[in-house]
Amino acid sequence: HPQDKMSPDKPSFGLVDGACGYGPLSKDGNGSVWPFWRAASISSEFKGAANGNRGGCGMCLRVTCVDAKCKAGSAPVTLTVVDECPTCAPDQINMHVSVFADYLASPTDGRVAIKYAPVPCEPNANISIRVTDVRPSNGGYIRLVPLGVAGDGTLTSVQVRPTGTDAWTDAKSEYGASWEASKFGEKGPLDVRLVGAKGTPAVEAQGVIDRLTKSTWSTGVQVGGGSGGSGAPQPAAAAAPAAEAAPSPP
């Protein structure tokens, strides 16, 4: 990219280690985890970020180019918020240069005017649990990140328990998409109980975390009573004008 000198074929910034805590994200393909590179970074004062999403993490935004510089045949693209952009204005959305080029405009244009609207997230698979830190001692500790959450993209409750017991332990989330739990035991397997938007039923995945190690585990469940993108219905907000999109942080 001529402005930031980054390769459109390599991940950068939020795709590697964003503030939301999702960890590395990869392109579409075998073994990739949704939302792939269709990810966004936004200001902490972004217009439209819901407080329940903890800084907007996990929410999905449908972005449409409305600039004179839009490429011929430009199409709306749905992005998932994965990172904070400290240098962005409250109405600016930042995305990887390859996604910007595929859907909106030439990266050489830098920034373009867009319309955006929060929309329900529709992942192409069930929720995965990425374990990013563990301590199999002193009663046990785990930090995990749910990936591919349908509906509004956030969870209101996460619990873990050793498989075969009734002892659920509440996990806590201070910011972003990461949840932490401790004093539940010092070995796996662990069950996980997840609750999506307020009013939706809990879903349970039995023995999903096979052992206390950093890895990504498929749960086989999705919030909202569905799977693979059938989360709880959510009305889409009206598109907000006078916003900007930019390819990769400056």
Side-chain angles (χ1 to χ4, degrees):
H1 178 237
Q3 293 186 4
D4 58 26
K5 299 180 180 178
M6 292 185 178
S7 169
D9 298 318
K10 294 182 179 180
S12 58
F13 298 98
L15 298 179
V16 178
D17 188 19
C20 293
Y22 292 110
L25 299 173
S26 52
K27 277 188 174 182
D28 295 87
N30 188 31
S32 299
V33 176
W34 187 89
F36 316 111
W37 282 7
R38 292 188 291 276
S41 57
I42 60 174
S43 165
S44 60
E45 299 178 355
F46 180 74
K47 297 177 180 179
N51 289 336
N53 290 76
R54 299 176 178 85
C57 293
M59 73 181 298
C60 290
L61 300 168
R62 188 169 178 84
V63 176
T64 304
C65 185
V66 295
D67 201 290
K69 297 180 287 188
C70 298
K71 61 181 286 186
S74 66
V77 57
T78 299
L79 308 174
T80 302
V81 176
V82 303
D83 195 14
E84 181 181 348
C85 177
T87 61
C88 288
D91 62 349
Q92 185 179 356
I93 297 173
N94 228 303
M95 68 192 71
H96 190 268
V97 60
S98 65
V99 177
F100 186 93
D102 286 345
Y103 291 93
L104 303 184
S106 170
T108 57
D109 291 325
R111 297 178 180 180
V112 295
I114 59 168
K115 288 184 179 180
Y116 68 88
V119 295
C121 297
E122 298 183 346
N124 64 341
N126 290 309
I127 294 172
S128 294
I129 298 293
R130 176 170 285 169
V131 176
T132 59
D133 196 15
V134 295
R135 186 187 66 232
S137 60
N138 298 322
Y141 166 82
I142 190 169
R143 182 171 69 232
L144 58 86
V145 186
L147 301 167
V149 177
D152 68 2
T154 191
L155 296 173
T156 57
S157 173
V158 173
Q159 296 175 302
V160 298
R161 72 178 178 189
T163 299
T165 75
D166 296 322
W168 287 107
T169 298
D170 292 329
K172 296 181 180 181
S173 179
E174 300 297 332
Y175 180 79
S178 293
W179 295 77
E180 300 179 39
S182 59
K183 305 298 182 181
F184 52 82
E186 298 181 359
K187 62 180 181 179
L190 298 179
D191 303 339
V192 177
R193 178 189 282 168
L194 311 171
V195 179
K198 185 177 180 180
T200 59
V203 294
E204 295 183 12
Q206 305 291 322
V208 60
I209 301 175
D210 185 61
R211 56 194 181 278
L212 290 187
T213 187
K214 297 178 184 180
S215 188
T216 301
W217 312 89
S218 177
T219 66
V221 298
Q222 183 58 268
V223 294
S227 63
S230 52
Q234 183 185 27
E244 283 188 331
S248 304

